[in-house]
């Protein structure tokens, strides 16, 4: 398959609140949204170009939180808003921010001729480094140059982008837990929590700490579920598009080194709309 | 009579001057271009004195005062300083400058957009952004972005490189005034014109790499940004400084604020003689004051409505309105 690889995009102050109750990495919708925006920006010049799916590889993150000595919790490092018209300090809104270095691999569809590739690359570089933002963050000039690559296996990414962690979907873990009659939220927390257990033998007590599943399991926000009928909304960005209330859909994901991922498909996220259940999802083919 | 303005309820502009965080290194002035090492944050615990203003009942009673002053005032703070053999701060950041001011990042009223774009076209045709470009360039040349690190520095040098065209400028920052934007200088004019052309363009952008050297003196204290931590938890550290990957750093927002400190058009300027940062209400945080209140009808929203309606504004009002749009923000009007 042909991919547009955007290696080592350095982003500053991106939105790290991926849903109302998860923090730490921008939501999948933010990444797919950025690539969708890229596709639309290129659409004028390359009408046939399509980006059906996207892989996200994280190399470095710096979440803007602070934890003092002996503290149990982290607190968000805020930013202040300018004074209001009376010279008074407006109330603080907690916004979690993160600095990132990520590589995006974007599936390419709709380019037939080799000669177009060069033009696409220069347009993409211009948009990424000039125009665009990702997850609300600014893209820094030190980001890498985009390339078009033929990829067969995830491990090939190591040559292009160096070590990093691909974000995979682990809905199977949720399914498995819920099949054992766990409530969805319990299953989620159970997978993320650090469990402690003790064993005693011959008057000796041994403590053991473990997580439910091996690997770097994280909660991911993968889309939205509509909770009201479609209708008109005032003050919407586009008054001609129907709107509805929605809530975040959250499941489990895993950060895993690409050379340990078996198939590219496993790390490629794509959109799916399920009209029947009012679901607007991003998912990978499992 | 001008026609009634239509204002979009959803309206926002992205910032057009996009600075990165500023990273801080230490070096020696003589070899400043060749070698440098990252500055780290250090935690210090000090026994302070009680020196705050005390209540009269305490202050006037020598016994009570003694008891109060004898209390230890223990503090833990982050601090940052040059190493004992280094005398120069090197600050490195990049600045992206974007064009396309005609296109808001969100706008839900085509009618508004049309009259807005007409007004902007006019502005670009009449001024070409020259005045704003020159002022931003001057703020790069005079190293205002060093903030407190600028104070007391013996020598300051700013090197600017355009990463796309490879053009370079260098400035002896001490030669450039902080208060006088009428200052004429050939190099600043050149850089300013380049910035102006980019701002005026639909699609172009520009990337500047900026390295600044400030000779502060051996082992002198350096001032990175302070972090805003609302809930510091159990630890009593009273000052948390900013670092990225263990390198002391300055917030991009703080650099941006210095670059847009070009407002000499607010009503009290004659009295204050101090340029302030471009803000919709002319807010200056450390003075706790807004210099452009809706009462004077010199705030951004009043002027912007008139600007879009095609009314005649003075040159300086127009510059101010455009500078706020370059700053970016959410300017929609709620339908209350």
């Amino acid at each position: 398959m042909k991919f547009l690889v955007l290696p080592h995009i350095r982003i500053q102050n991106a939105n790290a609140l991926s849903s109302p109750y998860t923090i730490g990495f921008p939501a999948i919708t933010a990444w797919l949204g950025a690539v969708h925006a890229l596709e639309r920006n290129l659409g004028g010049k390359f009408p046939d170009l399509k980006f059906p799916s996207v892989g996200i590889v994280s190399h470095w993150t710096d979440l803007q939180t602070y934890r003092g000595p002996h503290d149990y919790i982290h607190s968000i490092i805020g930013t202040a808003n300018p004074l209001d018209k009376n010279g008074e300090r407006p109330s603080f809104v907690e916004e979690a921010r993160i600095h990132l270095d990520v590589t995006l691999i974007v599936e390419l569809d709709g380019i037939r001729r080799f000669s177009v590739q060069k033009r696409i690359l220069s347009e993409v570089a211009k948009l990424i480094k000039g125009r665009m933002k990702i997850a609300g963050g600014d893209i820094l000039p030190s980001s890498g140059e985009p390339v078009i690559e033929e990829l067969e296996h995830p491990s090939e990414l190591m040559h292009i982008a160096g070590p990093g962690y691909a974000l995979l979907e682990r809905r199977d873990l949720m399914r498995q837990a819920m099949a054992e009659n766990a409530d969805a939220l319990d299953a989620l927390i159970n997978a993320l929590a650090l469990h402690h257990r003790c064993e005693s033998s011959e008057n000796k007590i041994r403590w053991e700490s473990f997580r439910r599943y091996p690997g770097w399991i994280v909660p991911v926000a993968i889309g939205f579920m509509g909770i009201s009928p479609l209708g008109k909304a005032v003050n919407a960005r586009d008054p001609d598009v129907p709107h509805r209330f929605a809530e975040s859909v959250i499941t489990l994901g895993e950060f895993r080194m690409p050379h340990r991922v078996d198939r590219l498909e496993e790390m490629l996220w794509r959109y799916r709309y399920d009209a029947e259940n009012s679901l607007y999802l991003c998912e990978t083919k499992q | 009579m001008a026609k009634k303005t239509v204002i979009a309820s959803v309206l926002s502009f992205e910032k057009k001057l996009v600075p990165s965080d500023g990273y801080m290194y230490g070096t020696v002035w003589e070899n400043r271009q060749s070698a440098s090492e990252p500055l780290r944050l250090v935690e210090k615990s000090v026994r302070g004195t009680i020196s705050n203003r005390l209540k009269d009942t305490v202050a006037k009673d020598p016994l009570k005062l003694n008891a109060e002053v004898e209390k230890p005032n223990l503090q833990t703070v982050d601090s940052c300083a040059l190493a004992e053999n280094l005398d120069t701060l090197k600050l490195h950041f990049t600045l992206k400058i974007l064009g396309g001011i005609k296109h808001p990042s969100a706008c839900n009223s085509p009618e508004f957009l049309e009259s807005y774009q007409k007004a902007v076209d006019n502005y670009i045709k009449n001024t070409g952004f020259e005045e704003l470009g020159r002022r931003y360039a001057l703020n790069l040349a005079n190293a205002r972005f060093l903030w407190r690190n600028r104070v007391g520095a013996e020598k300051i040098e700013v090197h600017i490189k355009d990463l796309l065209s490879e053009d370079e400028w260098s400035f002896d920052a001490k030669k450039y005034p902080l208060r006088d934007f009428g200052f004429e200088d050939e190099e600043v004019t050149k850089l300013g014109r380049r910035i102006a052309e980019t701002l005026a363009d639909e699609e172009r952008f520009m990337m500047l790499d900026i390295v600044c050297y400030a000779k502060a003196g051996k082992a002198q204290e350096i001032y990175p940004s302070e972090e805003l931590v609302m809930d510091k938890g159990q630890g009593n550290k009273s000052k948390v400084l900013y670092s990225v990957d263990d390198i002391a750093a300055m917030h991009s927002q703080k650099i941006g604020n210095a670059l847009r400190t070009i407002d000499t058009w607010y009503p009290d300027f004659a009295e204050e003689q101090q340029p302030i940062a471009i803000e919709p209400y002319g807010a200056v945080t450390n003075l706790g004051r807004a210099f452009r209140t809706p009462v004077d009808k010199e705030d951004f929203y009043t002027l912007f409505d008139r600007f879009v309606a095609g009314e005649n504004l003075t040159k300086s009002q127009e510059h101010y309105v455009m500078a706020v749009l370059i700053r970016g923000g959410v300017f929609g009007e709620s339908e209350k």
Side-chain angles (χ1 to χ4, degrees), chain A residues 179-195:
Chain A
E180 294 159 16
N181 282 331
D183 161 56
L185 192 59
D186 284 344
L188 190 79
I189 292 171
N190 201 17
L192 300 171
L194 189 59
H195 302 265

Side-chain angles (χ1 to χ4, degrees), chain A residues 71 75 78 99 129 131 139, chain B residues 9 96 98-99 228 231 234 242:
Chain A
D71 279 351
S75 42
H99 305 331
K129 293 198 170 182
R131 278 276 86 87
I139 299 171
Chain B
S9 60
K96 187 156 71 172
L98 306 172
L228 178 79
D231 175 18
Q234 301 188 342
Y242 184 47

Side-chain angles (χ1 to χ4, degrees), chain A residues 25 35 41 43 62 114 152 177 185-186 191 202 211 220 234 245-246:
Chain A
F25 199 73
V35 172
N41 277 320
D62 183 2
F114 185 72
E152 298 301 332
L185 192 59
D186 284 344
E202 299 166 23
R211 284 185 205 274
V220 287
V234 283
F245 286 102

Side-chain angles (χ1 to χ4, degrees), chain B residues 61-73:
Chain B
D61 181 339
L63 277 177
K64 276 189 189 163
L65 182 62
N66 262 345
E68 190 66 26
V69 170
E70 273 170 13
K71 279 185 199 162
N73 181 15

Side-chain angles (χ1 to χ4, degrees), chain A residues 12-13 60 64 70-71 75 77-78 82-83 85 87 89 92 99 129-131 138-139 141 235-237, chain B residues 9-10 15 18 21 94 96 98-99 108 202 207 227-228 230-232 234 242 245 252 279 285 288 293 335:
Chain A
Q12 185 172 284
N13 292 326
W60 169 82
Q64 299 296 295
H70 315 300
D71 279 351
S75 42
I77 294 173
L83 306 179
K85 60 188 171 202
R89 158 92 46 227
F92 285 101
H99 305 331
K129 293 198 170 182
R131 278 276 86 87
D138 298 320
I139 299 171
N235 298 337
R237 231 182 232 213
Chain B
S9 60
V10 176
K15 55 179 173 287
V18 189
D21 282 334
T94 55
K96 187 156 71 172
L98 306 172
N108 66 349
E202 290 264 321
M207 283 191 290
E227 297 274 55
L228 178 79
M230 306 282 283
D231 175 18
K232 292 202 184 79
Q234 301 188 342
Y242 184 47
D245 258 2
S252 56
E279 287 291 332
T285 312
T293 56
E335 288 189 354

